[in-house]
Amino acid sequence: MPGVERFRVEGGGRLQGEVRVTGAKNSVLKLMAAALLAEGESTIVDVPAILDTEIMAELLRRLGCGVELDQATDGGPGAGGSVRIDVPAVPGHEADYDLVRRMRASICVLGPLLARCGQVSVARPGGDNIGSRPLDMHISGLERLGATIETEHGFIVAKAPRGLTGAQVWLDFPSVGATENILMAAVLAKGTTVIDNAAREPEIVDLCFMLEQMGAKIGGAGTSTLEIQGTDRLTPTRHVSVPDRIVAGTWAYAATMTRGDVFVRNGRAEHLEIALDKLVRSGATVERVAPGEGDEGGFRVRMDERPKAVDVVTLPFPGFATDLLPMVLALNSVADGAAMVTENVFEARFMFVDELARLGADVRTDGHHCVVRGKERLSGAPVRAHDIRAGAGLIMAGLVSDGVTTVSDAYHVDRGYPGFAEQLRSLGVDVTRETDPDALLEG
Ligand code: UD1
């Protein structure tokens, strides 16, 4: 139940040991939606045991799919599970508000269902804790492919009774979600679609790989121009998700902040170039281990001094990921010197700053800039997680605070980090979960 649990973080201690990252949340959710494009059973492997994959599984069940989610965590939270999705000849085409409200990424069924069924109704998500998140580029892109789209009674209703037709689509901004929805619609459209200024995130490349295995023809994956030749029919497949670069980046920042030594197994340094370069500038050592026979490889981050402050500007991939913003703010709050951190993707990410200030951090925002003046230590206090990444950032800040920090609304963190407290404990720090007495009072 939301709000009932919180994390209890004992300050001090350093992260030491090895941790494995599973497939990426932001990939797996879209791969699950992509399964809708082909009748029959698709399987996605290395699925993280998180709340969001459960919500997506529930959404697909309501669309008439048989879904078996195996969150096998026998090998600990770093061991990925799998999900088998059996898609009927004619899936349902309505996604309700109760699920979309819990997980905004539900919107990624819009493109595939429109392509498969010729019509779809998806509840319109509201704003959320990282800012207003419009869908204009999703909608205008699908309209370019011939759909008519209206908002009725809180639902986005899209129709293309005679099917979709390939077209040239220009995105104003390389939106991850809009690129994915248009891509997943275009693979079953008649003719060629070109998406210009497309997002280039590794999760988009992963989605392109899965679609190609299903029989789609896609050129330019990983570049800002995607060219898609539509086909009549796709076939189910089995696909292993790309590793989670945001979780891997979280471990890298946590290791640096706590002056620790962590090997991030299955972490892909090439998906985190700027984020890891910032850590090197901060004084850490980053060692890459290439995958070998029977070995996933990864990278090791070591730090044995106080980190130096680093300036950061968030941008779409390959820029510094907005999802790692709380981590770099937390790092700078205990670094030597002052840093300027600029957020260019989501306006409300800085809500996190007020919570960080409760721990004594010297942080000041002005528009989308934030100046952080580092202190030797922060000071433990009760704080609240507003979103997945802010929650993880606050736990990290708690580790470099004196005394105890509690982070309420633990469920946010559960949406994106499998067994976070358990993994932190395995690295030698004292982070537990407990009932939130304040939440019970409110309830
Ligand atoms: C995805 C990720 C999220 C990450 C973000 C940016 C998932 C489930 N979530 O979110 O973790 O932080 O990418 O890397 O994959 N925008 C519009 N109109 C639109 C679409 C987007 O104005 O039609 C704006 C958004 O408000 C935002 C920016 O574009 O300011 C980027 O959003 P987008 O890349 O679409 O992010 P998501 O796909 O929602």
Side-chain angles (χ1 to χ4, degrees):
M1 214 170 104
V4 171
E5 285 207 330
R6 68 182 185 188
F7 291 96
R8 182 184 186 282
V9 184
E10 188 78 47
R14 56 193 289 267
L15 261 55
Q16 187 160 22
E18 179 180 315
V19 72
R20 180 182 184 272
V21 292
T22 65
K25 167 183 93 74
N26 287 353
S27 199
V28 167
L29 298 175
K30 324 308 169 59
L31 302 173
M32 290 173 77
L36 288 166
L37 288 162
E39 181 186 349
E41 189 177 286
S42 284
T43 303
I44 299 157
V45 180
D46 211 9
V47 171
I50 52 172
L51 210 51
D52 275 14
T53 48
E54 288 173 32
I55 297 173
M56 187 53 112
E58 179 57 24
L59 174 56
L60 294 178
R61 281 188 198 108
R62 291 212 210 154
L63 292 168
C65 303
V67 183
E68 255 179 73
L69 181 59
D70 176 11
Q71 305 249 33
T73 47
D74 306 352
S82 64
V83 60
R84 279 196 305 182
I85 303 162
D86 196 0
V87 180
V90 185
H93 54 265
E94 199 164 301
D96 288 331
Y97 187 49
D98 64 321
L99 291 176
V100 177
R101 186 177 56 176
R102 289 177 68 197
M103 187 185 69
R104 223 184 162 279
S106 313
I107 197 72
C108 67
V109 299
L110 187 66
L113 285 180
L114 179 63
R116 262 312 288 292
C117 311
Q119 60 172 321
V120 53
S121 305
V122 180
R124 203 184 170 104
D128 67 9
N129 287 340
I130 57 173
S132 121
R133 294 170 84 172
L135 296 170
D136 53 312
M137 287 185 265
H138 299 240
I139 291 172
S140 62
L142 296 174
E143 282 175 341
R144 292 280 306 171
L145 302 188
T148 53
I149 305 186
E150 282 173 50
T151 296
E152 288 170 11
H153 307 296
F155 279 83
I156 296 169
V157 181
K159 292 183 184 149
R162 283 192 210 87
L164 298 164
T165 310
Q168 173 89 34
V169 178
W170 295 272
L171 296 180
D172 292 342
F173 181 90
S175 153
V176 171
T179 302
E180 290 163 343
N181 255 327
I182 299 163
L183 168 66
M184 286 194 272
V187 289
L188 287 181
K190 289 181 207 81
T192 305
T193 298
V194 176
I195 310 176
D196 239 329
N197 201 20
R200 299 193 274 157
E201 271 66 5
E203 296 77 26
I204 305 254
V205 177
D206 198 32
L207 176 61
C208 288
F209 284 166
M210 171 155 161
L211 293 170
E212 280 171 345
Q213 286 161 36
M214 295 170 82
K217 305 264 176 298
I218 303 167
T223 74
S224 39
T225 306
L226 289 175
E227 188 170 323
I228 305 127
Q229 318 275 352
T231 53
D232 291 341
R233 211 175 139 264
L234 296 175
T235 50
T237 192
R238 179 182 186 279
H239 179 81
V240 183
S241 166
V242 70
D244 199 314
R245 68 195 159 99
I246 305 301
V247 173
T250 303
W251 292 125
Y253 274 70
T256 305
M257 280 176 68
T258 61
R259 303 179 205 185
D261 181 351
V262 175
F263 181 61
V264 184
R265 184 165 296 287
N266 203 30
R268 295 272 167 84
E270 68 271 27
H271 295 162
L272 283 165
E273 292 294 4
I274 297 183
L276 293 179
D277 180 58
K278 294 288 173 189
L279 294 183
V280 171
R281 285 164 192 245
S282 181
T285 310
V286 177
E287 193 187 315
R288 296 158 193 246
V289 178
E293 192 135 331
D295 180 5
E296 294 174 311
F299 59 84
R300 178 178 176 192
V301 178
R302 259 177 309 158
M303 180 69 156
D304 32 44
E305 59 192 53
R306 184 178 176 197
K308 288 188 262 311
V310 282
D311 291 340
V312 161
V313 177
T314 69
L315 279 173
F317 191 84
F320 189 98
T322 170
D323 285 350
L324 289 175
L325 183 93
M327 321 321 164
V328 78
L329 287 172
L331 175 98
N332 278 321
S333 68
V334 289
D336 183 10
M340 166 86 86
V341 177
T342 304
E343 170 58 44
N344 287 316
V345 183
F346 287 111
E347 76 235 38
R349 282 269 190 213
F350 284 154
M351 275 173 79
F352 169 74
V353 165
D354 293 336
E355 299 297 313
L356 201 56
R358 284 185 48 73
L359 299 177
D362 184 349
V363 271
R364 242 186 60 198
T365 55
D366 183 3
H368 60 136
H369 303 290
C370 180
V371 174
V372 192
R373 293 183 182 84
K375 291 183 159 182
E376 279 277 355
R377 303 282 298 168
L378 302 178
S379 152
V383 289
R384 186 172 291 272
H386 290 292
D387 68 72
I388 307 175
R389 311 300 170 191
L394 287 170
I395 293 171
M396 286 165 50
L399 288 172
V400 289
S401 298
D402 291 326
V404 172
T405 296
T406 56
V407 182
S408 45
D409 288 349
Y411 67 95
H412 281 301
V413 178
D414 299 339
R415 290 190 44 206
Y417 290 86
F420 200 46
E422 193 182 331
Q423 284 198 304
L424 282 161
R425 282 197 300 278
S426 78
L427 293 171
V429 290
D430 186 357
V431 178
T432 47
R433 295 175 73 109
E434 61 185 22
T435 304
D436 187 342
D438 299 335
L440 286 179
L441 280 178
E442 282 164 20

